[in-house]
Amino acid sequence: MRCTGRLTNETSPLLKAEAKALLLNKRRVILDLTDLSYMDSSGLGALVGIYVSARAAKCELELVNLSPRIRELLGMANLLSVFENYGRYGTRLP
């Protein structure tokens, strides 16, 4: 699933709905954040909610192509260790 634009209070419900629908039928969901230009606390909350739903559905959730800004935001919220972090598809970030 490719995320583009801004992940805010206005767009987070759509992402959660779309991602949760995928979780029911998949064993692995990848959120590609290449084109995500901005994320606020609502976006962080959406990612955590999707993560919790994925765990409950026994589905693996991966975030890929994190920008330095998004990585920093996840780091400040102590969430980098929660998500599987990948630089490019299949390449783990340190």
Side-chain angles (χ1 to χ4, degrees):
M1 174 181 261
R2 181 174 223 154
C3 301
T4 62
R6 299 168 57 88
L7 186 52
T8 63
N9 188 41
E10 295 172 351
T11 57
S12 292
L14 177 61
L15 175 64
K16 287 194 320 191
E18 294 288 327
K20 286 183 180 182
L22 286 176
L23 297 175
L24 300 175
N25 303 318
K26 304 292 181 191
R27 295 177 76 140
R28 181 174 169 206
V29 172
I30 299 171
L31 295 181
D32 183 350
L33 305 182
T34 300
D35 297 321
L36 188 66
S37 60
Y38 177 81
M39 181 169 58
D40 66 9
S41 60
S42 295
L44 282 173
L47 292 180
V48 170
I50 294 167
Y51 172 78
V52 170
S53 296
R55 297 264 316 196
K58 296 187 178 16
C59 178
E60 184 180 350
L61 176 66
E62 297 174 7
L63 303 183
V64 298
N65 300 320
L66 305 173
S67 70
R69 183 176 179 159
I70 300 300
R71 260 184 78 75
E72 181 180 3
L73 182 58
L74 290 171
M76 287 189 304
N78 290 321
L79 292 174
L80 278 177
S81 63
V82 172
F83 296 105
E84 291 293 321
N85 295 290
Y86 293 80
R88 297 177 190 212
Y89 295 106
T91 305
R92 287 196 182 272
L93 292 173

